[in-house]
Amino acid sequence: MEITILGIESSCDDTSAAVIRDGVLLSNVIASQAVHAQYGGVIPELASRAHGQNIVPVIDAALKEAGVTPAEIDGIAVTRGPGLLGSLLVGVSFAKGFSLAQDTPLMEVNHLQGHVLAHFVTRPGEEEAPKPKFPFLCLLVSGGNSQIVLVRDYLDMEIIGTTIDDAAGEAFDKCAKVMGLPYPGGPLIDRLARSEGADPHAFKFAKPSVPGFDYSFSGLKTSFLYFLRDRVADDPEFIEHHKTDLCASLQATIVDILMNKLVRAAKQYDITEIAVAGGVSANSGLREAIEAAGERYGWTTYIPPISLTTDNAAMIAITGYYKYLREEFADLSMAPAARAAEM
Ligand code: KG4
């Protein structure tokens, strides 16, 4: 029997809907919200309003692109959290209405679990592409999270390390802001770091010393800020003159911090199946470092296509698919959760 799942994602500033049939992606539509760029960060109230405007057209487009009608949907999966409460409410309310109207099961999805399971989305024509084998470690790095997740099965995951303050994406974005770059700064830092002649060893920044597999990035952000303040005091053109070296050095530091714990975790858990997920996994320095570590330590590495690394509903639909198979359904009293700990 074919199983067709509609997934909805509205946890931050992207409204997305996707249709998956037996794990194969039929559509993945994303409406990004340009409104936040002028403020240098996501404004929750504006995000909720934009989700409200986008949700129906985005779902309609996803169904049309997939060539399915609402009656052909076997189950609807929606991000319950973590994320912005007002934004989550838009997706959750729509999903409940759809479930009620179509008499289809509702599945609640943890956004972070979705990022990890993005590795199991099969794109048409790529049925043979290898998927991580259990157990594997997933480095989950996004604008809001930096975690090392031990994945024993589709729905059996343990967070063995997490950030105690800022996330890796936040470190990129906040340091970019200090340099006067527009939001989100991560992709721009990546591009500047790859400019010809950019030297990743030009500057040295503080690396945290945190026990276990936890991460910390707020110290790096602060030391970067003070470093620039002192240099700019002597030379107002300092940032402009050294932009590519600053970006390359900063990126190398963040990648180094992430890789150091990942390598130690892989050794301690004796795992060689290593995956990376979340928006920051688009970073070219991190991708190269994971591949290099893979060769050095005999890992099999899994790096998702960029379209599945940033927030998207395909990862929500695939998580919903595994929940559907196990009949892990939510009822209509399910409420969105801003924090993962509330789920
Ligand atoms: O997973 P994601 O799309 O959503 C949130 O967690 O909100 O991640 C977004 C984050 C942002 O911090 C963005 O700057 C970062 O991912 N990012 C990057 C790159 N592409 C996106 N950071 C570094 N290098 C990139 N190429």
Side-chain angles (χ1 to χ4, degrees), residues 86 92 178 201 220 275 331-332:
V92 167
V178 172
H201 306 291
L220 171 63
D331 62 43
L332 293 176

Side-chain angles (χ1 to χ4, degrees), residues 20-293:
I20 276 191
R21 178 167 289 154
D22 295 333
V24 178
L25 189 60
L26 300 185
S27 65
N28 187 26
V29 175
I30 303 176
S32 297
Q33 302 176 359
V35 62
H36 307 288
Q38 59 186 305
Y39 301 104
V42 176
I43 308 293
E45 178 66 26
L46 297 180
S48 317
R49 287 188 215 174
H51 284 303
Q53 286 166 341
N54 293 342
I55 190 119
V56 170
V58 163
I59 289 171
D60 194 46
L63 290 172
K64 287 207 173 102
E65 202 180 306
V68 302
T69 62
E72 289 173 286
I73 297 294
D74 296 302
I76 180 155
V78 65
T79 305
R80 182 180 167 208
L84 302 172
L85 206 59
S87 293
L88 291 164
L89 261 171
V90 176
V92 167
S93 303
F94 184 96
K96 284 184 186 177
F98 187 97
S99 163
L100 205 57
Q102 297 296 327
D103 197 19
T104 50
L106 174 68
M107 285 82 68
E108 60 167 77
V109 174
N110 178 324
H111 179 83
L112 303 174
Q113 198 167 32
H115 269 304
V116 174
L117 294 184
H119 284 280
F120 296 95
V121 173
T122 300
R123 295 192 299 173
E126 293 184 3
E127 284 76 7
E128 303 305 317
K131 309 258 194 303
K133 291 171 208 62
F134 303 113
F136 67 92
L137 287 182
C138 185
L139 176 67
L140 171 48
V141 271
S142 69
N145 291 276
S146 302
Q147 302 179 331
I148 300 178
V149 186
L150 170 60
V151 190
R152 296 194 187 88
D153 198 1
Y154 298 110
L155 302 176
D156 181 3
M157 304 182 189
E158 183 188 341
I159 297 164
I160 60 167
T162 191
T163 180
I164 58 169
D165 40 55
D166 287 355
E170 237 175 319
F172 273 109
D173 296 340
K174 287 180 176 170
C175 290
K177 199 171 178 178
V178 172
M179 286 189 281
L181 298 174
Y183 175 87
L188 251 175
I189 290 187
D190 191 6
R191 189 151 56 80
L192 290 166
R194 274 183 283 135
S195 321
E196 211 180 312
D199 179 5
H201 306 291
F203 304 107
K204 286 248 169 306
F205 302 115
K207 284 191 200 151
S209 158
V210 183
F213 301 121
D214 285 342
Y215 287 116
S216 164
F217 287 99
S218 71
L220 171 63
K221 172 193 68 189
T222 310
S223 73
F224 188 71
L225 180 70
Y226 284 125
F227 171 86
L228 283 187
R229 196 191 56 179
D230 292 347
R231 298 295 173 107
V232 170
D234 294 339
D235 169 15
E237 301 292 308
F238 180 80
I239 297 177
E240 211 38 56
H241 289 155
H242 298 279
K243 203 170 252 172
T244 57
D245 281 352
L246 282 168
C247 289
S249 304
L250 181 70
Q251 176 160 307
T253 309
I254 295 175
V255 169
D256 222 46
I257 296 170
L258 290 171
M259 290 306 295
N260 185 292
K261 298 267 166 130
L262 182 62
V263 167
R264 281 172 42 204
K267 275 190 191 145
Q268 180 164 323
Y269 285 85
D270 196 18
I271 288 178
T272 54
E273 293 280 305
I274 308 288
V276 59
V280 180
S281 63
N283 184 264
S284 62
L286 182 60
R287 287 179 168 237
E288 280 164 22
I290 292 210
E291 272 165 16

